[in-house]
Amino acid sequence: MASDFRLFMTQLLKRPHQVVALAPSSEGLAREMAARVDPAAGPVIELGAGTGKITQAILDRGLPPEHLHSIEMNPVFCDRLQVAFPGLNVHHMSAGDLGDLPLENAQAVISGLPLLSMPVALQRSILTGTVAKLRPGQDYVQFTYGPKPPVTPVVREELGLSWEVSRKIWWNMPPARVYRFRQAEAATRAAE
Ligand SMILES: C[S@@+](CC[C@H](N)C(=O)[O-])C[C@H]1O[C@@H](n2cnc3c(N)ncnc32)[C@H](O)[C@@H]1O
């Protein structure tokens, strides 16, 4: 079986507009993405799971694999996830159809999607689906390499999203920050 890194690179060359990253997330970034997962707080939805770096970090928090739903549109990555993580719910679909997933009350939606490179209409369906699936007050977690929040302003405003942002995670290629968005009255914008 090809290594995860090799598989990722092969798919990056074949589908550059879907993968949109130089390498899989580092362990440090994946740990930060999963840091607030509570193993006893019910289902988690993961978007754009790829070869499973963030999947692994979520499961390392102690969440039973049956409570994790990983959405991925690339069939090769889906096959790898299915083999690597027995018991995991792998959904071969676009995150844009998240609203159709028969699941409610998620404790978090954790996304490795290349959100900022997506058209606004697709971002809107992903975030609208997210809000419908999340328990009220819970987070949409998204990393980004750039200096701006990874959800475009028009979608943030439409959905009333506030956010907080992590320190910069240097040990990643390229360095990244983790944003936590939620629908809430009070915005906490804790940039460094
Ligand atoms: C930047 S890679 C991240 C992979 C992995 N989560 C990580 O952090 O290493 C983006 C992933 O999102 C997937 N993806 C892109 N667009 C998608 C969509 N609309 N729905 C579901 N998955 C998508 C790609 O196939 C790829 O696996």
Side-chain angles (χ1 to χ4, degrees):
M1 192 159 66
S3 75
D4 284 350
F5 186 77
R6 200 165 143 202
L7 182 68
F8 189 93
M9 288 321 209
T10 313
Q11 294 304 310
L12 174 60
L13 292 175
K14 282 192 180 161
R15 300 173 165 97
H17 300 297
Q18 285 178 16
V19 177
V20 201
L22 295 173
S25 294
S26 68
E27 280 176 23
L29 176 57
R31 239 189 340 266
E32 177 66 32
M33 296 284 288
R36 297 190 191 170
V37 169
D38 176 347
V44 172
I45 300 172
E46 181 191 16
L47 307 180
T51 53
K53 281 312 251 289
I54 297 171
T55 318
Q56 182 67 63
I58 296 170
L59 296 175
D60 286 348
R61 297 280 309 154
L63 188 82
E66 297 76 17
H67 290 185
L68 179 54
H69 293 258
S70 296
I71 291 177
E72 173 52 63
M73 73 186 308
N74 180 320
V76 179
F77 287 154
C78 284
D79 289 348
R80 172 61 60 98
L81 293 164
Q82 206 87 70
V83 171
F85 303 103
L88 176 70
N89 301 288
V90 180
H91 302 276
H92 179 209
M93 60 187 269
S94 168
D97 297 327
L98 175 57
D100 298 336
L101 195 72
L103 184 81
E104 311 296 329
N105 277 322
Q107 63 162 303
V109 174
I110 300 182
S111 165
L113 294 170
L115 203 65
L116 272 183
S117 64
M118 292 176 166
V120 172
L122 181 54
Q123 276 199 39
R124 183 178 286 115
S125 19
I126 291 167
L127 269 298
T128 305
T130 292
V131 164
K133 296 297 157 191
L134 276 177
R135 209 174 292 152
Q138 297 299 109
D139 290 347
Y140 174 82
V141 185
Q142 172 76 57
F143 69 76
T144 188
Y145 308 126
K148 293 184 181 163
V151 178
T152 204
V154 64
V155 176
R156 290 191 327 242
E157 277 159 32
E158 284 168 8
L159 294 174
L161 299 179
S162 60
W163 68 89
E164 60 183 276
V165 57
S166 76
R167 67 190 162 79
K168 197 163 198 169
I169 293 147
W170 290 98
W171 194 250
N172 191 69
M173 197 168 78
R177 289 179 194 269
V178 173
Y179 280 74
R180 292 181 168 85
F181 294 91
R182 71 174 60 165
Q183 267 191 320
E185 298 299 319
T188 311
R189 298 180 187 179
E192 266 184 9

